[in-house]
């Protein structure tokens, strides 16, 4: 911002000219241009400063200064990841209750988080994040009191999860186990900073207030985890992850007692090998985190583990990766005898799940994106919206309907920083089903909620949509009451844009091993074991 | 970093700047170790539709990975066809919006179908090739196309419509050019590694350019060895995708300012690429360039070199912090394979020499 004055002089003629070109230059030069840098680097000194930022961004809806608020929104981003993680879990809870009845679901994030929280309470993060959350929620007053309380109680644990996921990648060199490292991450930042490879930038900020350091550390931890993007070649390790997710999903559908027995056996085996892998791979065994929980609550494992290994296999050197693979090999070899048994169980349980998936997709038929099985009147409704996403690809549609596919895709999107689209997509689906029973006022409220959460400038989970769509929703939401047709039209418009976003992520997801294996499982499950 | 002046009202900024000297040492340290590092991370940055992903795809192509392989491109059939549909829809919507009637009745029928029910699978039917092409050639659609600065339309439109006979066929396999010409709005951040010889790997990071996507860039700012900033020359008459009332050039300048003056990039080689030179030269032949830049000499507005020089000045004026000797400016036509290969080689050389100098 150095020579701001001379700088603007140099551009003066240019600025003047643009005024008559862009009609809405109201959001223009009057804003002091603070570089993203300044704020990026400048840590959030206190939570309250963040609060101010956020409210500013909320008030100045038409101001495109989200760049200047990067760090706060990032914190919110992390926080809202937690929010939506929970939201998604609960919503999937609604949509496929027959799958979710037992608590052993890998999708049911909240349960896993609660446990890790119990095992491993983080007081600092806890208090910190609670205030942060209340900020978020107070900004969005449209939220109900109920959801607020849920968020406050759950967020810290989620952050905890994120840290425990990201930690192995960064602190490989340190010999401390996960437990201690995380502990120091949150309570005493200095230790973490010294053990973390990539936080060289942080060192300098040790003089900053501890709350700031924590926040930076959190950001750093986040980015550290997410930095491992590129997908390695199909390793046995990954294959196992997918399989594990698959098993966890299907355990619940198996009623046959004999199968149950076999599966339980297998479940234990999976957990065991998992411990093994994570110990070999990560040096910082996650198992140490909750020594008792690994047997009691095997359902937590797949999620945590899959991310850990994805991160590890990428960021660790090829030598260690090779080592890890051999380790997996031995594990796999140990399981060789089981293979046939497993394949049997899988085949049986799979045919069951297929029906489950079928019924599930029936409940989703009301989605405007799929035209199949629509009554003529429904179709008419559809045709009202000039741009309903009638172009849904079969594969993407299938993927989104399948719980495991959805979860795998979601993990991929998280790694690519594009999970807000999926979150929004899911929320819209759930919402749409209920629109018919709502009053106009309620619909308006719901649309407003969507706008605040996903569309508003600088909001935590802003999705990438056309300005036109945003404007349309913005004008409609102010009317106070929205009739059914309009609300459907609005959702169509958003979903059309969302769909193109999902397709972009999907176009890369199809090259990942997760997708390939998922696809293989869907088409020919027994092949995976041959 | 003593030469940094912070606007006085920016208290937080001051706080940060006080922390800067220390924060730069480890940063410099990481740059020094970069010499020995086998991996070079290059960020492709820029506002929306500046051609980041196009360049990304080109680099894939001439490194013989990714879209070079047929089976990878087969997976992208959907994307190409989706692009055709999106373009068609946008054009039809524009005729309504701009009050330009579609002239032929049968084209109006086609337009209705496109808006309401057409999906990508339908495009396997070769008959759609004729129908869509006839729609494209309709006087109304062509008129809307001439006014495309008034709405959002991909640059790929003309190319895709001219190649409909290939695309609308059940045997269609996208060519490399098809994939490169296809516009997909990048969501999130993606990366790819390439071997560049000397046992070194180049890690190219491609990002989304719209406002909300830019907030995600920060996650990569710490691990950067070079930044390639792209901006579109041909955007001077266009408004933003995410905000229809905001001029793209202004946005590009703003983003450039924020990135180039970022303290994390002080010691990082910085390349500014003016992309879409081909489109730009076509555009200024029919459109007035000086209408958009009052400081520009009107007599020179048909001269692309003068226009580009002016744009270069505009952008370089934004640099307040970054040392100018580590900034390189080039023009590029990313859809042109040879040109982008040559430019990328130059960029690579520039980055390497800058790193050796460290």
């Amino acid at each position: 911002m150095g020579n701001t004055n001379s700088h603007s002089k140099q551009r003066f003629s240019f600025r003047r000219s643009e005024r008559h070109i862009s009609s809405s230059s109201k959001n223009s030069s009057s804003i002091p241009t603070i570089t993203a840098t300044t704020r990026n680097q400048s840590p959030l000194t206190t939570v309250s400063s963040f609060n101010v930022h956020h409210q500013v961004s909320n008030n100045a809806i038409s101001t495109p200064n989200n760049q200047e608020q990067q760090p706060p929104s990032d914190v919110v981003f992390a926080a809202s990841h937690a929010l939506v993680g929970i939201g998604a879990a609960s919503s999937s809870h609604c949509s496929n209750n027959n799958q979710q009845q037992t608590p052993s679901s890998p999708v049911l994030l909240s349960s896993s988080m609660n446990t890790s929280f119990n095992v491993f309470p983080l007081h600092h993060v806890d208090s910190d994040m609670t205030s942060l959350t209340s900020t978020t929620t107070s900004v969005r007053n449209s939220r109900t009191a109920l959801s607020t309380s849920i968020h406050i109680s759950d967020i810290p644990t989620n952050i905890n999860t994120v840290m425990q996921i990201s930690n192995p990648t960064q602190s490989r060199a340190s010999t401390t186990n996960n437990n201690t490292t995380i502990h120091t991450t949150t309570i005493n930042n200095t230790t973490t900073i010294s053990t973390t490879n990539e936080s060289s930038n942080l060192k300098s900020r040790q003089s900053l207030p501890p709350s700031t350091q924590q926040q930076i550390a959190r950001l750093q931890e986040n980015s550290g985890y997410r930095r491992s993007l590129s997908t390695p070649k199909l390793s046995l390790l990954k294959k196992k992850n997918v399989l594990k997710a698959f098993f966890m999903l299907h355990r619940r559908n198996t009623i046959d007692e004999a199968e149950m027995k076999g599966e339980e056996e297998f479940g234990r085996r999976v957990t065991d090998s998992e411990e093994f892998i994570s110990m070999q791979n990560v040096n910082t065994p996650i198992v140490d985190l909750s020594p008792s929980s690994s047997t009691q609550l095997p359902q937590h494992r797949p999620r945590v583990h899959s991310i850990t290994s994805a991160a590890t296999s990428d960021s660790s050197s090829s030598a260690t990766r090779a080592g890890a693979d051999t380790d997996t090999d031995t594990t796999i070899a140990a399981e060789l005898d089981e293979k046939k048994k497993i394949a049997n169980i899988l085949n049986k349980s799979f045919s069951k799940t297929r029906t489950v998936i079928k019924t599930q997709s029936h409940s989703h038929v009301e989605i405007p994106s799929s035209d199949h099985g629509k009554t003529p009147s429904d179709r008419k409704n559809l045709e009202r919206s000039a741009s309903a996403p009638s172009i849904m690809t079969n594969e993407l549609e299938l993927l989104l309907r399948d719980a495991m596919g959805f979860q795998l895709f979601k993990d991929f999107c998280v790694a690519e920083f594009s999970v807000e689209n999926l979150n929004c997509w899911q929320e819209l689906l759930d919402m749409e089903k209920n629109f018919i029973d709502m009053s106009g006022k309620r619909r308006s409220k719901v649309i407003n909620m969507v706008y605040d959460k996903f569309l508003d400038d600088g909001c935590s989970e802003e999705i990438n949509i056309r300005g036109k769509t945003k404007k349309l929703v913005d004008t409609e939401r102010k009317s106070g009451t929205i009739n059914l047709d309009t609300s459907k039209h609005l959702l169509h418009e958003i979903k059309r844009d969302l769909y193109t976003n999902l397709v972009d992520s999907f176009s890369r997801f199809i090259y990942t091993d997760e997708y390939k294996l998922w696809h293989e499982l869907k088409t020919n499950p027994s092949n995976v074991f041959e | 970093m003593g030469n940094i002046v912070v606007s006085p009202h920016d208290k937080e900024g001051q706080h940060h700047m006080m922390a800067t000297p220390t924060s730069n040492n480890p940063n410099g340290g990481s740059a020094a170790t970069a010499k020995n590092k086998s991996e070079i991370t290059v960020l492709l940055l820029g506002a929306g539709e500046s051609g980041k992903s196009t360049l990304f795809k080109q680099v894939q192509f001439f490194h013989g990975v990714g879209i070079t392989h047929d089976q990878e491109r087969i997976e992208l059939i959907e994307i190409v066809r989706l692009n055709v549909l999106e373009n068609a829809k946008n054009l039809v919507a524009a005729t309504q919006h701009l009050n330009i009637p579609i002239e032929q009745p049968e084209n109006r029928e086609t337009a209705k179908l496109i808006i309401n029910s057409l999906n990508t699978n339908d495009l396997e039917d070769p008959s759609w090739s004729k129908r869509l092409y006839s729609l494209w050639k309709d006087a109304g659609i062509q008129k809307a196309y001439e006014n495309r600065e008034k709405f959002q339309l991909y640059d790929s439109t003309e190319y895709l419509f001219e190649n409909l006979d290939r695309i609308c066929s059940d045997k269609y396999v996208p060519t490399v050019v098809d994939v490169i010409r296809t516009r997909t709005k990048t969501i999130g951040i993606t990366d790819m590694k390439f071997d560049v010889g000397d046992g070194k790997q180049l890690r190219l990071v491609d990002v989304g350019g719209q406002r909300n996507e830019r907030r995600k860039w920060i996650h990569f700012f710490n691990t950067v060895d070079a930044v390639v900033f792209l901006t579109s020359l041909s955007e001077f008459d266009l408004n933003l995708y995410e905000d229809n009332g905001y001029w793209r050039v202004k946005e590009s300048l703003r983003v450039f300012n924020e990135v180039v003056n970022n303290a994390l990039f002080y010691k990082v080689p910085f390349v500014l690429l003016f992309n879409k030179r081909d489109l730009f030269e076509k555009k200024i032949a029919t459109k007035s360039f000086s209408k958009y830049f009052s400081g520009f000499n009107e007599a020179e507005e048909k001269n692309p070199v003068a226009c580009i020089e002016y744009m270069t000045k505009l952008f370089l004026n934004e640099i307040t912090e970054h040392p100018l000797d580590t900034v390189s400016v080039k023009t590029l036509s990313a859809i042109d394979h040879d040109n982008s290969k040559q430019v990328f080689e130059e960029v690579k050389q520039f980055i390497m020499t800058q790193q050796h100098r460290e």
Side-chain angles (χ1 to χ4, degrees):
Chain A
M1 329 266 41
N3 327 314
T4 318
N5 280 335
S6 63
H7 186 49
S8 51
K9 234 179 245 166
Q10 281 165 333
R11 276 201 296 155
F12 182 68
S13 57
F14 162 66
R15 281 242 161 94
R16 201 180 40 198
S17 67
E18 80 205 14
R19 199 153 291 152
H20 63 84
I21 293 148
S22 54
S23 51
S24 76
S25 44
K26 55 179 192 281
N27 5 331
S28 67
S29 38
S30 59
I31 309 153
T33 344
I34 305 150
T35 47
T37 348
T38 334
R39 286 289 167 84
N40 289 349
Q41 285 218 326
S42 71
L44 314 158
T45 13
T46 51
V47 174
S48 61
S49 84
F50 154 71
N51 187 1
V52 172
H53 277 304
H54 200 82
Q55 270 168 356
V56 165
S57 81
N58 228 38
N59 294 337
I61 284 163
S62 56
T63 321
N65 49 355
N66 42 15
Q67 278 297 306
E68 288 136 43
Q69 287 150 9
Q70 273 186 359
S73 29
D74 255 277
V75 176
V76 187
F77 196 65
S80 59
H81 263 297
L83 296 188
V84 173
I86 294 150
S90 50
S91 58
S92 59
H93 193 75
C94 301
S95 56
N96 21 316
N97 1 6
N98 49 350
Q99 291 201 1
Q100 303 279 347
Q101 269 160 4
T102 48
S104 60
S105 133
V107 197
L108 205 63
L109 285 170
S110 42
S111 72
S112 72
M113 286 183 298
N114 277 339
T115 339
S116 51
F117 182 54
N118 289 340
V119 175
F120 187 52
L122 296 165
H123 303 289
H124 276 238
V125 174
D126 193 351
S127 55
D128 214 326
M129 286 308 290
T130 313
S131 53
L132 208 136
T133 324
S134 45
T135 320
T136 326
T137 37
S138 73
V139 169
R140 301 202 188 91
N141 17 25
S142 57
R143 229 160 257 300
T144 57
L146 179 74
S147 60
T148 315
S149 65
I150 293 172
H151 295 161
I152 287 170
S153 62
D154 277 347
I155 279 194
T157 55
N158 195 299
I159 291 298
N160 175 12
T161 328
V162 172
M163 288 184 154
Q164 116 192 21
I165 290 161
S166 59
N167 221 13
T169 32
Q170 298 197 331
S171 57
R172 277 188 60 83
S174 73
T175 46
T176 44
N177 67 17
N178 228 5
N179 200 336
T180 353
T181 323
I182 292 178
H183 219 69
T184 46
T185 308
T186 44
I187 288 154
N188 177 8
N189 264 290
T190 337
T191 326
T192 321
I193 287 160
S194 58
T195 52
T196 313
N197 299 334
E198 316 221 287
S199 54
S200 46
N201 248 328
L202 275 181
K203 275 182 188 163
S204 57
R205 302 200 190 113
Q206 285 176 13
S207 56
L208 299 174
S211 71
T212 315
Q213 285 186 11
Q214 278 172 23
Q215 281 172 1
I216 299 174
R218 217 171 290 137
L219 273 176
Q220 291 277 331
E221 293 276 3
N222 262 344
S223 52
Y225 147 57
R226 287 166 181 167
R227 207 172 287 129
S228 48
L229 263 184
S230 32
T231 40
K233 285 274 160 285
L234 177 60
S235 63
L236 291 167
L237 201 79
K238 277 214 159 173
K239 213 167 174 176
K240 280 175 68 79
N241 292 332
V242 180
L243 286 181
K244 252 172 268 163
F246 183 77
F247 275 120
M248 292 312 167
L249 211 74
H250 294 302
R251 305 179 72 166
R252 283 163 281 129
N253 303 318
T254 326
I255 310 132
D256 192 300
E257 214 156 299
E259 279 176 17
M260 280 292 263
K261 212 176 159 191
E263 260 204 276
E264 263 171 36
E265 203 179 305
F266 178 76
R268 209 178 313 129
R269 195 152 274 280
V270 165
T271 339
D272 289 344
S273 61
E274 227 165 65
E275 283 173 36
F276 183 68
I277 291 166
S278 45
M279 281 168 81
Q280 296 297 317
N281 244 356
V282 186
N283 271 343
T284 49
I286 307 171
V287 192
D288 283 8
L289 251 182
S290 46
S292 56
S293 73
S294 63
T295 39
Q296 286 168 353
L297 304 148
Q299 68 273 17
H300 305 159
R301 291 287 149 234
R303 193 180 156 70
V304 175
H305 178 75
S306 71
I307 296 166
T308 314
S309 62
T312 318
S313 47
D314 184 62
S315 60
S316 59
S317 69
S318 57
T320 42
R321 198 182 304 155
D325 275 352
T326 4
D327 291 334
T328 329
D329 263 328
T330 40
T331 327
I332 295 257
E335 270 177 19
L336 213 74
D337 324 338
E338 306 279 320
K339 270 193 179 176
K340 270 191 183 158
K341 205 155 99 193
I342 296 165
N344 259 336
I345 299 164
L346 188 63
N347 265 335
K348 278 181 200 163
S349 66
F350 187 73
S351 56
K352 265 176 200 153
T353 349
R354 224 178 324 222
T355 51
V356 173
I357 288 166
K358 251 185 203 163
T359 42
Q360 211 178 306
S361 48
H362 272 301
S363 69
H364 277 260
V365 164
E366 300 109 68
I367 309 166
S369 39
S370 60
D371 281 0
H372 322 291
K374 288 234 167 243
T375 61
S377 63
D378 279 342
R379 246 203 120 76
K380 234 184 200 169
N381 249 341
L382 243 184
E383 281 167 7
R384 279 201 77 269
S385 124
S387 46
S390 56
I391 30 176
M392 192 69 161
T393 354
N394 292 335
E395 269 171 287
L396 179 53
E397 196 175 7
L398 262 175
L399 181 83
L400 292 178
R401 279 178 186 172
D402 178 61
M404 181 174 72
F406 188 90
Q407 191 55 45
L408 289 173
F409 188 44
K410 193 170 178 173
D411 286 345
F412 176 80
C413 284
V414 167
E416 279 209 347
F417 306 93
S418 58
V419 77
E420 74 272 8
N421 294 298
L422 258 186
N423 291 338
C424 184
W425 181 264
Q426 182 135 28
E427 203 141 302
L428 293 190
L429 283 195
D430 291 342
M431 205 169 279
E432 200 155 40
K433 275 180 256 167
N434 302 323
F435 260 157
I436 214 152
D437 308 322
M438 286 180 188
S439 66
K441 235 179 165 178
R442 176 90 190 121
R443 261 182 237 122
S444 167
K445 219 172 181 178
V446 168
I447 294 283
N448 263 299
M449 253 172 72
V450 172
Y451 188 89
D452 286 343
K453 190 169 175 191
F454 294 109
L455 270 66
D456 203 0
D457 277 339
C459 68
S460 57
E461 283 204 271
E462 190 180 355
I463 52 170
N464 190 346
I465 58 167
R466 289 171 304 163
K468 210 172 130 194
T469 314
K470 196 190 250 176
K471 220 172 176 179
L472 183 79
V473 180
D474 194 27
T475 35
E476 286 294 340
R477 83 194 175 105
K478 282 172 183 153
S479 64
T481 167
I482 298 175
N483 64 34
L484 187 64
D485 283 350
T486 320
S487 64
K488 281 202 168 162
H489 176 63
L490 290 181
L491 286 209
H492 284 312
E493 288 292 314
I494 302 174
K495 277 168 85 174
R496 181 196 165 188
D497 289 358
L498 262 185
Y499 178 72
T500 42
N501 293 359
L502 288 176
V503 164
D504 180 63
S505 299
F506 184 65
S507 71
R508 287 186 295 272
F509 181 61
I510 50 177
Y511 300 130
T512 62
D513 307 320
E514 281 89 346
Y515 176 75
K516 282 173 194 157
L517 204 64
W518 176 82
H519 195 76
E520 186 78 7
L521 277 168
K522 288 289 136 186
T523 45
N524 196 355
S526 53
N527 257 5
V528 180
F529 289 94
E530 297 312 313
Chain B
M1 296 293 134
N3 57 341
I4 299 158
V5 187
V6 188
S7 23
H9 53 267
D10 186 13
K11 283 270 175 346
E12 264 196 43
Q14 272 175 353
H15 182 119
H16 139 66
M17 284 313 170
M18 279 188 275
T20 306
T22 32
S23 87
N24 254 315
N25 289 340
N27 202 25
S30 79
T33 49
K35 239 192 298 184
N36 312 322
K37 219 162 56 172
S38 60
E39 190 178 297
I40 306 163
T41 306
V42 178
L43 284 190
L44 293 176
L45 302 181
E49 282 188 69
S50 54
K52 298 175 291 293
S53 300
T54 312
L55 184 62
F56 188 71
K57 285 185 270 189
Q58 287 281 16
V59 175
Q60 277 184 32
F61 180 42
F62 52 70
H63 282 91
V65 293
I67 60 164
T68 322
H69 306 294
D70 277 4
Q71 64 269 26
E72 291 230 352
R73 290 202 308 276
I74 285 175
E75 309 275 7
L76 298 173
I77 293 177
E78 280 292 324
I79 303 271
V80 179
R81 287 186 176 153
L82 209 61
N83 239 254
V84 174
L85 284 185
E86 283 277 308
N87 282 327
K89 275 186 184 180
N90 286 338
L91 276 171
V92 172
T95 56
Q96 291 168 351
H97 175 69
L98 300 173
N99 260 329
I100 306 168
I102 298 173
E103 289 189 351
Q104 302 301 319
E106 69 264 23
N107 289 339
R108 276 202 288 274
E109 278 304 307
T110 313
K112 241 182 222 165
L113 281 172
I114 288 172
I115 294 285
N116 288 326
S117 62
L118 195 64
N119 66 43
T120 47
N121 292 339
D122 295 337
L123 292 188
E124 274 186 20
D125 185 353
S127 69
W128 272 104
S129 155
K130 281 201 189 80
R131 296 184 75 170
L132 284 174
Y133 191 74
S134 143
L135 176 74
W136 163 243
K137 283 293 170 196
D138 190 278
I141 293 284
Q142 281 297 320
K143 201 171 169 199
Y145 183 65
E146 278 161 29
N147 290 298
R148 58 187 174 276
E149 76 276 3
K150 295 188 179 130
F151 56 99
Q152 297 293 333
L153 194 68
Y154 304 151
D155 293 331
S156 63
T157 311
E158 193 173 351
Y159 173 84
L160 289 176
F161 276 111
E162 295 295 338
N163 286 282
L164 275 175
D165 50 334
R166 275 193 304 115
I167 296 167
C168 296
S169 144
D170 51 353
K171 293 188 192 75
Y172 174 59
V173 176
T175 65
V176 174
V177 181
D178 289 347
V179 173
I180 282 167
R181 293 296 288 257
T182 308
R183 155 81 182 147
T184 49
K185 179 177 65 175
T186 308
I187 302 297
I189 299 175
T190 178
D191 69 345
M192 206 156 208
K193 285 176 187 164
F194 308 96
D195 281 320
V196 289
D198 298 346
K200 284 199 175 183
Q201 269 202 325
L202 176 83
R203 182 183 183 207
L204 202 60
V205 182
D206 184 26
V207 299
Q210 281 78 23
R211 283 177 185 165
N212 78 309
E213 304 294 335
R214 293 204 292 266
R215 301 195 311 193
K216 305 166 184 171
W217 292 1
I218 182 181
H219 297 291
F220 276 77
F221 278 13
N222 272 355
T223 52
V224 177
D225 300 308
V227 177
V228 175
F229 190 94
L230 285 101
T231 181
S232 167
L233 280 169
S234 72
E235 67 185 6
F236 65 84
D237 61 342
L238 299 175
N239 280 353
L240 285 181
Y241 169 92
E242 65 268 38
D243 182 352
N244 288 335
Y246 204 91
W247 189 28
R248 288 199 184 196
V249 176
K250 198 165 138 191
E251 183 85 347
S252 274
L253 282 165
R254 203 160 64 101
V255 180
F256 180 70
N257 187 327
E258 284 165 2
V259 171
V260 78
N261 297 321
N262 192 317
L264 287 172
F265 298 151
Y266 286 164
K267 299 203 167 179
V268 165
F270 203 100
V271 184
L272 173 61
L273 289 183
F274 285 105
N275 192 15
K276 305 196 187 178
R277 193 189 164 125
D278 51 328
L279 218 61
F280 174 72
E281 285 175 7
K282 269 188 214 157
K283 200 174 242 180
I284 57 167
T286 56
K287 290 228 159 100
S288 167
F289 181 75
S290 61
K291 188 178 141 197
Y292 297 91
F293 302 93
S294 63
F296 185 70
N297 178 11
E298 207 179 324
E300 291 233 70
E301 72 171 1
K302 297 296 172 206
N303 177 4
V305 179
C307 294
I308 291 171
E309 212 166 275
Y310 180 78
M311 293 288 280
T312 314
K313 260 187 215 153
L314 271 186
F315 274 86
L316 291 185
N317 275 350
E318 297 285 334
I319 304 177
T320 52
E321 317 295 351
H322 200 284
L324 278 172
D325 59 336
T326 56
V327 178
S328 164
V329 184
K330 295 180 198 310
T331 60
L332 168 73
S333 170
I335 52 165
D336 180 342
H337 177 253
D338 294 331
N339 180 254
S340 49
K341 185 168 186 174
Q342 183 201 340
V343 170
F344 191 76
E345 280 303 318
E346 286 169 23
V347 168
K348 216 161 69 184
Q349 281 309 314
F350 174 74
I351 292 169
M352 299 282 201
T353 42
Q354 288 294 330
Q355 285 212 330
H356 280 294
R357 255 182 41 175
E358 268 288 318

